[in-house]
Amino acid sequence: MLNIVLFGPPGAGKGTQSEKLIEKYKLKHLSTGDIFRANIKGATELGTLAKSYMDKGQLVPDEVTIRMLESEVNKNPDAKGFIFDGFPRTKAQAEALDVLLKSKSTSITLMLALEVEESELKKRLLLRGKDSGRADDLNPDVIQKRIDVYNSETFPVKDYYTEQAKYKGINGIGEIDEIFNSLCNKIDAVK
Ligand code: AMP
């Protein structure tokens, strides 16, 4: 199996690149943010809970997020591999993902990290908010909070994968296809 963690701050381009990668490598895309938003739309209990954190730019608690991710992985027993987009965001999530994949006799192949500086992220998120209408992209305070949470809680997850020699950084600024090619080169080198 090819299991990729697509990593990077909010607005780095994870969603855009995931769409292209799943098409090329025939992987299952699991975006925890998208799954939470679908639950909010469907007015589920999980959606109501997630929204209370998302609206403030905070992380949804690990226990809830991990349980949801596990259930999504279990729903796809025939997947050739996964792209995890927006997960893991904490060390506890990374550890839980390793345990889950090990129980299925597989593991993370690579963590690909899109590197984009903070001022560019803020510009992109505000622009995206105008089109997507995502509440958390429309409010500059919430955007700042998400970037702060990324720096304090999520960025350290990089070390977890560096220790396993799985971390690969990619410049996330430039043409979409150029960035996509850089990602593919990293994947093809380990496939
Ligand atoms: P995203 O679509 O990845 O930008 O995520 C939007 C929001 O969903 C985040 O700001 C968090 O509130 C929540 N979220 C998404 N993924 C996770 C995760 N792995 N752990 C905790 N919260 C998450």
Side-chain angles (χ1 to χ4, degrees):
M1 275 176 104
L2 179 63
N3 296 310
I4 309 275
V5 173
L6 196 55
F7 191 71
K14 300 188 294 293
T16 305
Q17 294 296 337
S18 289
E19 291 305 325
K20 294 174 75 70
L21 290 168
I22 53 168
E23 199 185 317
K24 175 161 178 175
Y25 295 100
K26 309 290 175 225
L27 304 172
K28 173 74 189 165
H29 181 203
L30 288 185
S31 157
T32 40
D34 284 354
I35 302 166
F36 285 136
R37 279 184 289 277
N39 274 276
I40 293 172
K41 221 173 170 184
T44 68
E45 211 175 301
L46 173 64
T48 308
L49 177 80
K51 189 175 182 330
S52 66
Y53 292 93
M54 291 166 79
D55 282 352
K56 289 186 244 157
Q58 295 169 350
L59 293 183
V60 178
D62 279 340
E63 199 192 303
V64 176
T65 307
I66 290 167
R67 206 178 329 122
M68 178 190 81
L69 191 276
E70 285 180 354
S71 124
E72 292 296 323
V73 169
N74 288 334
K75 276 184 207 162
N76 291 279
D78 299 327
K80 281 178 64 186
F82 293 94
I83 292 204
F84 298 99
D85 164 5
F87 184 96
R89 263 175 153 100
T90 62
K91 194 166 169 240
Q93 292 180 13
E95 287 167 351
L97 182 59
D98 272 356
V99 171
L100 174 70
L101 294 180
K102 199 167 178 199
S103 77
K104 299 183 183 301
S105 306
T106 185
S107 59
I108 290 298
T109 314
L110 271 185
M111 167 184 262
L112 297 171
L114 293 169
E115 293 164 348
V116 178
E117 67 201 32
E118 199 169 310
S119 58
E120 173 71 14
L121 296 174
K122 289 182 193 161
K123 260 193 277 168
R124 287 188 189 180
L125 289 170
L126 281 169
L127 208 66
R128 183 169 81 182
K130 283 187 193 150
D131 292 333
S132 71
R134 263 180 68 169
D136 59 349
D137 285 343
L138 284 165
N139 180 331
D141 292 340
V142 175
I143 288 177
Q144 187 61 54
K145 175 71 184 167
R146 284 157 68 207
I147 292 173
D148 292 346
V149 166
Y150 173 81
N151 288 334
S152 61
E153 296 184 50
T154 304
F155 187 72
V157 175
K158 168 184 176 175
D159 296 338
Y160 183 83
Y161 289 94
T162 303
E163 280 162 23
Q164 297 184 18
K166 290 179 177 172
Y167 178 89
K168 304 275 177 219
I170 278 121
N171 178 10
I173 298 188
E175 295 295 322
I176 289 175
D177 283 338
E178 195 187 330
I179 299 166
F180 178 62
N181 284 337
S182 306
L183 291 169
C184 294
N185 287 341
K186 299 283 186 204
I187 294 173
D188 294 341
V190 296
K191 253 179 75 200

